[in-house]
């Protein structure tokens, strides 16, 4: 461990790195097949500073989990703290936050096509989404983990053409029509806003206030934006959690026609999530982590009497719902010094196969 | 350091005529001799102790304690890059379970539990003793794996108008080290002044395995400087007082790891002031010793608010020489610690430690020495594990001794473990002390006509409970818990060989080898069953060092070879992420010249002669072949 301050700052980075998978949930691109039909990638984040991130692929045709595919294809390690991966066209964009780079790989042979890095202007990148045929947005924490930005990436030249200031710990993004919503998850500090960017002009339109530390976003079938936030933890002098000052985690529903918050549902238990959000194939069922397990909530509910139900009584570091089958895929990180495990559940929550994967599986990327 | 390099030369020359006595230290009691040495020498009857002095060890070619130990001990030195934090692990125990004691005072930080060996400059230490195994009964909390005891030459009250030593080193990567030591003394007063200044950019080239390209290390400069002042006064024939002050500034840039963004500009400033005053008074059949020490540390990471720690350590002990070859030492210790750390969220923790200890040894039948010791420490009134120790040394024959030791040990949690908070990570005020139970058996042989071949072989077993480890809970929030149960065991072998072919030509060889099996013995609830029985991370199974020095007239040629075996970096012992073994070869030549009161000592060394790529800690690259030139001048 480094002296004193350093390791725990690092730990806190891991901590804030509760991840979820944002697919290109927008529909302005015609996809010939539903993601998940071929299989899915598991991105293994690795331990901070250890440079042991890796990529696994579950091949549905053969029913096998292939670990370490990036290393096998490229004869080098993926890097330090792989945060997220997004499929754009036939390429996988792997955002490696600790290494401050994006590895662009060919989805067929996993070989790197190009690498976008600090020389191109990345500092502490988190997520990437495609916003048009030749443009993508990259959320970035900045060197202090507080001054978050969204960087505009030209997909043809791989140059960053603009940097848009958003909020602390710019995290996951979703695109709906010509707007991109950015969850300002707090980074090394805290924030309580969703930034809205016009994806044509690359200008910030507004910031929508929600609860503390919004981490994850999903758009439902009725084009509502759902936000999962983890709340903010406060401590007493003896380092027990100060429940008075601690703000609860929440789910928020935003009407994207008006960009107004329709309602916020605060969780009853504090400091136990949610920070990770997925949506079922029909776009009407939210899956999120809360209180040591996975819960679901129907998106058609009203604020009064909003119900959440326990789905799986197990905690996952990262998870995703297969758009082609509705299966739930959960990644377990027992600690950050051993390989993790992936559990496959059916849509009704029955446990199927389990697979060994790399260190700290933080997301599921459906191919 | 005094006239270290010259003495070593002389020692090597003269040793060829002398009976070898380096390893087997005749600790057996001599009736009626009223001489008191350190607690370790007195009561470490069955401890494995290696003293790094008087052998083919050249202090003047090292920069700091970390350098010295990497080359001349088979201890596991955990170096985070060339200028970074460097800590020691004895026998597979953690770094915070292996203490560094300066003049008997533990330098382990009350905030993070570590003592950085790279902050101990070579010209501020004259004696280094490595004490292997549990030592809590002798030295208190934190001595589970072993301890490094450092000190300066004991001041003697005799006429010495003036002596001077200058040390200048220059080396690759803009490295310079300058040291000056001045001392003078008379019958009533002794004074030593030392100062050093060290600088290096450490911008060495290396092959980055992540980017697969030759790159240059960035943001890795170090600048350290400090002074040590030691005034001593003889009060009368029976008593004296010795004062030591050590102040140092350490500005260290923290380079990125090989896998991280190369645009890192983190830095750390460490300043410390250490003072100790030792009063001794000889009485009839005994001695009274009182020592009071104050250790202040200030650490600034980047531009954050400083982390400050203070320790005030007071100890009074009485030594008794009893009839029938019996000795007794009893003492009390009171330590007060405080810390102000930004990440403790506004509170400044403090704690009181009060300890009572007793050590007794007796010689039976002129050949069996038995030492019994015990210590009990109260932390803010709460008891900690009672730590007894039993050592037996059986000198079977003049050239063969058998040793046995059984001991308990413990370590109290650090302030970081108890009070840290950052985001959703937090310390755990309910932590218990870590505790260990150890057994060891050692044998010492002296072979050859003049006992020129010495071998010590030790087998050890140390079972540790409640080992504190930070780990994420269900929500991914990191917390320290008393979770690890580990069994550390292994074998150590040390050997020395000296031979003189004629009066101008001599050879000295020293070697250490360590085999360590350190395994996790219990899996916590919801833990990974597959980790059971696995080797702990960053504990190499095999480790060894070997040094051969050939002396011809005033020249000395030395070859130093070290080997560190594979180390797992993941608890599941996945070979994919293991740190590969590495071996390093250093070659040095030295020329010594003396004229009257002036002595010179010029040495040139090639480090990592085979230009091997290696990491001592995963993703922290180390330099390839590099060079060092040192000139040592003494006036006596």
């Amino acid at each position: 461990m480094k002296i004193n301050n350093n390791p725990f700052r690092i730990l806190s980075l891991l901590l804030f790195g509760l991840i979820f998978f944002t697919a290109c949930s927008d529909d302005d691109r015609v996809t010939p097949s539903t993601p998940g039909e071929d299989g899915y990638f598991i991105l293994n984040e690795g331990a901070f500073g250890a440079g042991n991130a890796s990529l696994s692929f579950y091949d549905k045709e053969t029913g096998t989990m292939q670990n370490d595919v990036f290393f096998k294809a490229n004869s080098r390690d993926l890097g330090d703290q792989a945060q997220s991966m997004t499929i754009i066209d036939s390429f996988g964009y792997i955002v490696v936050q600790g290494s401050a780079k994006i590895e662009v790989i060919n989805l067929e042979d996993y070989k790197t096509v190009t690498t976008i890095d600090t020389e191109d202007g990345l500092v502490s990148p988190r997520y990437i989404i495609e916003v048009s045929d030749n443009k993508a947005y990259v959320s970035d924490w900045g060197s202090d983990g507080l001054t978050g930005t969204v960087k505009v990436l030209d997909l043809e030249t791989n140059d960053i053409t603009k940097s848009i200031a958003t909020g602390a710990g710019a995290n996951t993004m979703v695109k709906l029509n010509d707007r991109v919503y950015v969850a300002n998850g707090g980074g090394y500090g805290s924030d309580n806003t969703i930034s809205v960017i016009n994806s044509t002009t690359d200008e910030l339109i507004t910031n929508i206030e929600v609860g503390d530390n919004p981490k994850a976003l999903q758009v439902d079938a009725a084009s509502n934006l759902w936000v999962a936030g983890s709340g903010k933890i406060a401590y007493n002098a003896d380092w027990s959690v100060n429940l008075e000052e601690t703000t609860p985690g929440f789910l928020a529903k935003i009407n994207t026609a008006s960009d107004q918050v329709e309602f916020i549902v605060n969780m009853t238990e504090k400091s136990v999530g949610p920070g990770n959000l997925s949506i079922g194939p029909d776009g009407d069922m939210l899956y999120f982590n809360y209180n040591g397990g996975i819960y679901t909530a129907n998106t058609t509910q009203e604020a009064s009497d909003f119900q959440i139900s326990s789905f799986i009584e197990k905690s996952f570091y990262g998870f995703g719902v297969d758009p082609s089958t509705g299966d739930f895929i959960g990644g377990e990180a027992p600690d950050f010094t051993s390989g993790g495990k992936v559990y496959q559940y059916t849509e009704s929550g029955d446990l199927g196969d389990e697979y060994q994967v790399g260190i700290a599986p933080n997301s599921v990327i459906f191919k | 350091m005094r006239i270290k390099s010259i003495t070593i030369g002389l020692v090597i020359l003269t040793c060829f005529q002398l009976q070898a006595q380096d390893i087997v230290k005749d600790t057996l009691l001599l009736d009626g001799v009223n001489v008191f040495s350190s607690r370790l020498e007195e009561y470490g009857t069955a401890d494995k102790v290696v003293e790094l002095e008087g052998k083919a060890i050249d202090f003047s070619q090292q920069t700091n304690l970390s350098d010295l130990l990497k080359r001349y001990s088979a201890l596991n030195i955990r170096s985070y890059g060339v200028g970074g934090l460097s800590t020691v692990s004895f026998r597979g125990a953690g770094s915070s379970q292996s203490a560094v004691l300066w003049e008997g005072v533990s330098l382990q930080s009350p905030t993070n539990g570590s003592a950085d060996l790279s902050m101990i400059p070579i010209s501020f230490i004259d004696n280094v003793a490595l004490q292997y195994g549990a030592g809590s009964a002798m030295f208190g909390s934190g001595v589970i794996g072993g301890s490094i005891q450092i000190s300066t030459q004991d001041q003697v009250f005799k006429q010495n108008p003036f002596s001077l030593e200058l040390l200048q080193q220059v080396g690759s990567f803009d490295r310079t080290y300058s040291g000056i030591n001045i001392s003078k003394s008379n019958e009533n007063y002794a004074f030593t002044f030392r100062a050093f200044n060290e600088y290096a950019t450490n911008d060495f080239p290396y092959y980055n395995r992540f980017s697969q390209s030759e790159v240059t290390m960035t943001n890795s400069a170090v600048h350290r400087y400090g002074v040590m002042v030691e005034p001593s006064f003889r009060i009368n024939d029976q008593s004296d007082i010795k004062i030591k002050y050590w102040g140092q500034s350490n500005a260290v840039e923290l380079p990125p790891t090989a896998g991280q963004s190369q645009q890192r500009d983190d830095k750390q400033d460490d300043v410390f002031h250490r003072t100790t005053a030792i009063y001794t008074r000889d009485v009839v059949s005994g001695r009274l010793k009182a020592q009071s020490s104050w250790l202040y540390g200030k650490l600034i990471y980047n531009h954050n608010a400083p982390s400050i720690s203070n320790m005030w350590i007071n100890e009074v002990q009485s030594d008794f020489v009893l009839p029938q070859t019996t000795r007794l030492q009893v003492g009390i210790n009171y330590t007060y610690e405080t810390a102000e750390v930004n990440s403790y969220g506004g509170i400044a923790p403090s704690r009181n430690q009060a300890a009572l200890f007793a050590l007794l040894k007796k010689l039976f039948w002129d050949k069996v020495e038995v030492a019994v010791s015990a210590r009990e420490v109260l932390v803010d009134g709460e008891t900690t594990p009672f730590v007894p120790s039993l050592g037996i040394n059986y000198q079977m024959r003049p050239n063969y001794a058998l040793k046995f030791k059984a001991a308990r040990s413990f370590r109290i949690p650090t302030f970081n473990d108890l009070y840290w908070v950052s985001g959703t990570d937090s310390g755990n005020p309910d932590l218990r002390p870590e505790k260990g139970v150890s057994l060891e058996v050692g044998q010492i042989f002296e072979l050859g006509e003049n006992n020129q071949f010495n071998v010590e072989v030790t087998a050890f077993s140390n079972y540790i409970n409640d080992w504190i480890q930070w780990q994420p809970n269900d929500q991914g929030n990191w917390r320290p818990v008393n979770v690890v149960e580990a069994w550390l065991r292994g074998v150590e072998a040390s050997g020395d060989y000296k031979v003189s072919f004629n009066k101008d030509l001599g050879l000295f060889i020293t070697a250490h080898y360590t085999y360590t099996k350190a395994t996790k013995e219990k899996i916590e609830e919801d833990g990974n069953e597959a980790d059971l029985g696995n080797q702990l991370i960053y504990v190499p199974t095999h480790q060894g060092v070997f040094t051969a020095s050939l002396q011809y007239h005033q020249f000395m040629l030395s070859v130093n070879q070290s080997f560190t075996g594979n180390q797992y970096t993941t608890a599941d012992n996945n070979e994919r992420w293991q740190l590969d073994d590495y071996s390093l070869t250093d070659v040095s030549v030295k020329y010594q010249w003396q004229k009257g009161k002036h002595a010179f000592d010029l040495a040139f060394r090639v480090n990592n002669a085979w230009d091997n790529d290696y990491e001592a800690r995963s993703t922290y690259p180390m330099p390839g072949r590099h060079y060092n030139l040192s000139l040592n001048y003494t006036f006596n």
Side-chain angles (χ1 to χ4, degrees):
Chain A
M1 295 214 138
K2 281 272 173 230
I3 300 175
N4 212 334
N5 291 8
N6 212 16
F8 302 105
R9 201 168 155 188
I10 284 162
L11 297 184
S12 66
L13 207 155
L14 285 170
L15 187 261
F16 283 118
L18 287 172
I19 313 316
F20 86 123
F21 156 63
T22 33
C24 301
S25 51
D26 50 307
D27 293 318
D28 56 297
R29 179 163 52 88
V30 180
T31 45
S33 62
T34 312
E37 281 181 356
D38 293 351
Y40 54 81
F41 290 96
I42 297 288
L43 188 61
N44 305 294
E45 181 177 310
F48 190 92
N52 53 14
S54 66
L55 185 66
S56 305
F57 181 69
Y58 178 75
D59 186 339
K60 283 195 177 170
E61 199 176 340
T62 60
T64 55
M65 181 67 78
Q66 300 155 6
N67 284 320
D68 222 7
V69 295
F70 181 90
F71 179 79
K72 284 170 187 159
N74 296 288
S75 305
R76 64 186 169 92
D77 289 328
L78 178 56
D80 199 84
Q81 204 219 345
Q83 183 59 36
S84 68
M85 172 174 168
T86 301
I87 292 173
I88 300 176
D89 291 332
S90 57
F91 300 106
Y93 285 69
I94 306 171
V95 184
V96 190
Q97 187 178 12
S99 304
K101 67 174 181 180
I102 298 173
E103 293 280 355
V104 184
I105 62 164
N106 187 310
L107 289 182
E108 297 313 312
D109 60 9
Y110 318 121
K111 281 195 168 34
T112 290
V113 180
T114 186
T115 305
I116 305 161
D117 57 23
T118 51
E119 285 176 18
D120 301 298
L122 297 179
V123 180
S124 188
R126 296 282 293 178
Y127 293 86
I128 180 170
I129 60 164
E130 183 187 22
V131 294
S132 70
D133 283 349
N134 55 10
K135 192 164 78 177
Y137 280 179
V138 180
S139 60
D140 193 306
W141 274 13
S143 58
D144 58 0
L146 298 171
T147 42
T149 55
V150 163
K151 303 205 183 290
V152 182
L153 179 72
D154 184 320
L155 287 174
E156 269 150 32
T157 62
N158 288 323
D159 288 332
I160 288 168
T161 56
K162 190 176 179 184
S163 187
I164 307 160
T166 57
N171 211 49
T172 55
M173 298 168 285
V174 292
K175 179 171 179 281
L176 192 66
N177 302 323
D178 63 346
R179 274 165 296 167
V180 168
Y181 296 85
V182 186
N184 297 310
Y188 290 135
S190 71
D191 200 315
N192 62 353
T193 59
I194 305 296
S195 294
V196 188
I197 297 171
N198 180 322
S199 66
T200 311
T201 63
D202 303 326
E203 299 283 345
L204 181 73
I205 300 169
T206 184
N207 284 319
I208 308 169
E209 217 169 279
V210 287
D212 281 328
N213 296 332
K215 305 277 190 197
L217 306 172
Q218 288 292 350
V219 176
D220 70 16
S223 293
N224 295 301
L225 178 68
W226 289 87
V227 184
S230 58
K232 191 166 71 179
I233 300 181
Y235 291 90
N236 294 313
D238 65 352
W239 302 116
S240 53
V241 173
N242 180 340
L243 289 174
E244 294 272 297
E245 302 279 316
T246 295
T247 57
F250 65 92
L251 288 177
K253 182 183 178 186
I254 293 173
N255 180 329
T256 55
S258 61
D259 283 344
Q260 297 292 319
V261 176
E262 280 200 4
F263 59 80
I264 294 179
V265 182
N266 285 323
M267 297 295 138
T268 45
E269 299 294 324
K270 288 177 175 176
S271 81
V272 289
N276 206 328
L277 188 65
S278 284
I279 196 157
D282 300 329
D284 62 354
M285 188 64 81
L286 296 169
Y287 295 76
F288 56 96
N289 62 315
Y290 171 58
N291 206 8
I294 298 295
Y295 283 73
T296 55
N298 197 300
T299 59
T300 56
Q301 302 181 70
E302 290 306 316
S304 56
D305 197 34
F306 192 90
Q307 296 291 323
I308 65 170
S309 5
S310 174
F311 177 59
I312 298 166
E313 286 180 5
K314 186 171 178 60
S315 165
F316 295 104
Y317 189 55
F319 58 85
V321 180
D322 190 336
S324 66
T325 60
D327 287 354
F328 178 93
I329 316 295
E332 182 190 39
D335 50 46
F336 287 78
T337 63
S338 309
K341 237 179 183 180
V342 158
Y343 297 81
Q344 295 182 341
Y345 295 86
T346 64
E347 200 168 3
S348 52
D350 297 325
L351 179 61
D353 291 329
E354 301 169 18
Y355 300 96
Q356 287 291 335
V357 291
I359 296 168
N362 74 8
S363 45
V364 189
I365 303 93
F366 296 95
K367 184 187 171 192
Chain B
M1 167 151 167
R2 232 187 38 164
I3 47 169
K4 183 69 63 180
S5 44
I6 299 299
T7 38
I8 286 164
L10 294 174
V11 163
I12 285 172
L13 285 172
T14 51
C15 270
F16 305 130
Q17 278 81 41
L18 295 174
Q19 293 265 317
Q21 53 184 359
D22 284 294
I23 285 190
V24 177
K25 286 189 55 95
D26 193 6
T27 55
L28 301 188
L29 284 163
L30 293 170
D31 210 5
V33 179
N34 202 348
V35 175
F36 298 92
S37 43
S38 75
R39 190 178 297 153
L40 177 61
E41 284 175 50
E42 285 280 338
Y43 295 96
T45 296
D47 284 75
K48 173 177 168 152
V49 177
V50 172
E51 295 189 10
L52 296 182
E53 55 181 336
K55 297 183 183 175
I57 292 172
D58 206 334
F59 277 46
S60 68
Q61 290 187 56
Q62 320 299 326
T63 307
N64 54 48
L65 185 60
S66 172
D67 275 5
L68 182 75
L69 297 179
K70 275 179 200 167
R71 292 197 174 93
Y72 297 105
S73 77
L75 292 174
N76 179 8
I77 306 299
R78 297 170 169 172
S79 277
Y80 293 78
V82 71
L85 174 70
S86 184
T87 59
V88 64
S89 157
F90 275 86
R91 294 182 167 176
S95 293
S96 55
Q97 298 166 342
S98 306
V100 178
L101 289 102
W102 168 65
E103 308 291 350
V105 178
S106 175
L107 299 182
Q108 280 166 303
S109 152
T111 56
N112 60 39
S114 71
D116 189 345
L117 305 179
S118 69
M119 291 190 205
I120 299 172
I122 200 70
S123 53
F124 283 16
I125 46 178
D126 298 323
N127 310 310
V128 179
L130 311 175
Q131 175 260 320
Y132 291 72
S136 284
M138 273 191 280
F139 306 112
S141 169
V143 192
I144 292 178
S147 65
I148 300 172
Q149 317 260 338
I150 55 170
S151 58
T152 51
Q153 291 283 0
D154 206 19
Q155 306 266 23
V156 281
F157 299 105
K158 64 171 190 193
Q159 198 64 40
N160 170 26
F162 181 71
S163 57
L164 168 71
E165 175 172 2
L166 297 172
L167 172 62
Q168 180 62 50
Q169 298 178 4
V170 291
S172 308
F173 324 124
D174 306 325
R175 217 179 63 73
T176 65
Y177 182 103
S178 312
I180 179 169
N181 292 358
I182 297 169
S183 57
K184 60 179 296 175
S185 59
N186 60 31
E187 286 75 14
N188 295 309
Y189 174 71
F191 178 79
T192 305
F193 171 85
R194 300 168 193 237
F196 88 104
N197 184 63
E198 180 202 351
Y199 179 79
T201 52
N202 290 322
D203 54 345
F204 58 89
Y206 71 98
Y207 179 76
N208 187 309
R209 61 184 168 92
F210 291 89
S211 67
Q212 301 207 304
S213 56
E214 282 290 334
V215 296
T216 300
M217 185 55 88
T218 56
N219 197 54
S220 55
V222 298
H223 182 203
R224 301 188 179 101
Y225 58 91
V227 294
M228 183 180 270
V229 184
E230 298 169 281
S232 301
F233 310 91
R234 200 178 68 121
I235 299 166
N236 53 40
D237 281 351
Q238 286 77 41
S239 52
D240 59 45
I241 184 158
K242 292 175 177 173
I243 297 166
K244 293 161 196 284
Y245 164 77
W246 176 7
Q248 192 168 317
S249 162
N250 309 271
V252 177
E253 292 179 342
L254 304 173
T257 65
Q260 285 178 323
S261 160
Q262 298 300 299
Q263 297 193 331
R264 202 176 161 196
D265 59 358
D266 293 330
K267 61 184 194 319
Q268 186 164 293
D269 266 302
D270 241 304
V271 174
F272 60 75
H273 299 279
R274 297 165 176 166
T275 310
T276 189
I278 305 163
Y279 169 80
T280 53
R281 181 182 169 83
D282 289 330
V283 295
V284 179
S285 293
R287 168 180 277 192
L288 178 75
K289 180 180 170 190
Q291 182 174 8
S292 182
S293 314
W294 175 52
L295 308 181
Y296 165 89
K298 181 171 82 172
L299 183 151
I300 300 175
Y301 175 74
N302 287 335
H303 299 292
N304 297 346
S307 297
I308 292 169
S309 65
N310 276 289
M311 287 181 87
W312 185 42
I313 303 140
N314 302 282
E315 190 161 285
V316 179
Q317 69 183 48
S318 246
D319 279 283
F320 303 95
V321 178
L322 304 174
Q324 291 160 339
T325 64
T326 306
R327 281 202 183 186
L328 172 68
Q329 181 179 99
V330 291
I332 52 173
N333 180 302
Y334 169 74
T335 298
Y336 178 69
E337 304 164 281
T338 63
E340 292 166 46
V341 175
N342 209 24
S343 304
Y344 297 168
I347 63 156
S350 67
R351 71 181 163 199
N352 295 281
Q353 293 185 51
L356 181 65
F357 58 90
L359 306 96
L360 176 75
K361 79 169 175 181
K362 184 168 169 54
L363 181 64
F364 297 92
W365 313 297
D366 289 337
K367 45 172 68 168
V368 179
E369 187 175 282
V370 177
V372 182
S373 50
R375 178 181 292 250
E376 175 63 52
V377 181
L378 299 179
V379 177
D380 287 331
E382 304 263 334
T383 58
T384 59
F386 174 67
V387 281
S389 166
L390 167 71
I392 301 169
N393 186 338
Y394 176 27
Q395 189 78 39
M396 260 189 203
R397 285 191 291 276
N399 59 357
Y400 177 73
L402 185 64
K403 300 193 291 184
F404 168 81
K405 186 182 156 196
R408 287 175 63 174
S409 58
F410 76 110
R411 180 178 82 92
I412 58 175
T414 64
F415 283 148
N416 280 4
D417 290 336
L418 296 167
Y419 304 112
W420 187 270
V421 66
S422 171
T424 50
D425 306 331
S426 62
N428 178 358
D430 301 325
L431 287 173
R432 299 181 299 277
E434 298 174 342
K435 48 186 193 283
V437 178
S438 75
L439 289 173
E440 67 183 83
V441 180
Q443 301 177 80
I444 299 179
F445 309 86
E446 295 178 339
L447 306 168
E449 266 174 50
N450 297 317
N451 292 341
Q452 68 269 62
F453 187 37
N454 299 312
V455 178
E456 177 164 4
V457 180
T458 310
F460 65 90
S461 167
N462 195 353
Y463 200 93
I464 303 178
N465 268 298
D466 284 341
W467 190 329
I468 296 166
Q469 186 168 300
W470 283 73
Q471 56 180 43
N473 66 9
D474 275 1
Q475 273 70 47
N477 304 340
W478 291 71
R479 274 204 117 191
V481 257
N482 288 101
V483 70
V484 179
E485 227 179 274
W487 184 24
L488 320 176
R489 68 275 194 199
V491 179
E492 291 153 349
S494 301
D496 281 10
Y497 178 68
K498 306 185 185 75
V499 60
S500 69
F501 302 105
N502 57 49
K503 75 179 178 57
D504 291 326
L505 183 66
L507 176 68
F508 186 101
I509 292 172
T510 176
H512 296 277
Y513 166 77
T514 310
Y515 170 85
T516 314
K517 189 111 180 103
T519 53
K520 208 168 174 182
E521 292 300 305
K522 203 180 98 185
I523 298 300
E524 59 279 13
E525 213 180 317
D526 299 329
N528 195 348
E529 288 293 332
D531 293 352
L532 190 69
N534 280 356
Q535 181 85 352
L536 299 183
I537 64 170
Y538 288 110
V539 178
T541 310
H542 303 282
Q543 220 181 336
V545 289
F546 170 88
T547 302
S549 298
L550 189 68
Q551 176 107 20
Y552 178 69
H553 288 286
Q554 290 149 294
F555 288 95
M556 185 153 82
L557 172 71
S558 297
V559 176
N560 180 267
Q561 177 71 42
S562 68
F563 173 80
T564 306
N566 290 329
Q567 301 177 60
Y568 291 115
T569 68
T570 56
D572 55 6
N573 285 187
N574 188 340
E575 286 176 14
R576 168 78 174 83
W577 305 114
Q578 84 179 8
L579 186 60
D580 290 336
D581 60 62
Y582 58 92
S583 70
L584 298 171
T585 308
D586 298 341
V587 181
S588 72
V589 289
K590 186 165 77 167
Y591 177 71
Q592 292 163 296
W593 171 60
Q594 185 159 15
K595 188 159 190 196
K597 292 181 156 186
H598 308 274
F600 295 89
D601 187 2
L602 182 66
F604 177 73
R605 195 178 62 214
V606 182
N607 302 294
N608 192 1
W610 305 115
D611 201 21
N612 292 336
D613 274 331
Y614 74 104
E615 293 169 357
R617 190 87 184 174
S618 186
T619 75
Y620 289 85
M622 297 294 275
R625 186 186 303 120
H626 60 289
Y627 309 93
N628 191 52
L629 183 70
S630 65
L631 176 66
N632 200 27
Y633 164 75
T634 51
F635 172 82
N636 211 339

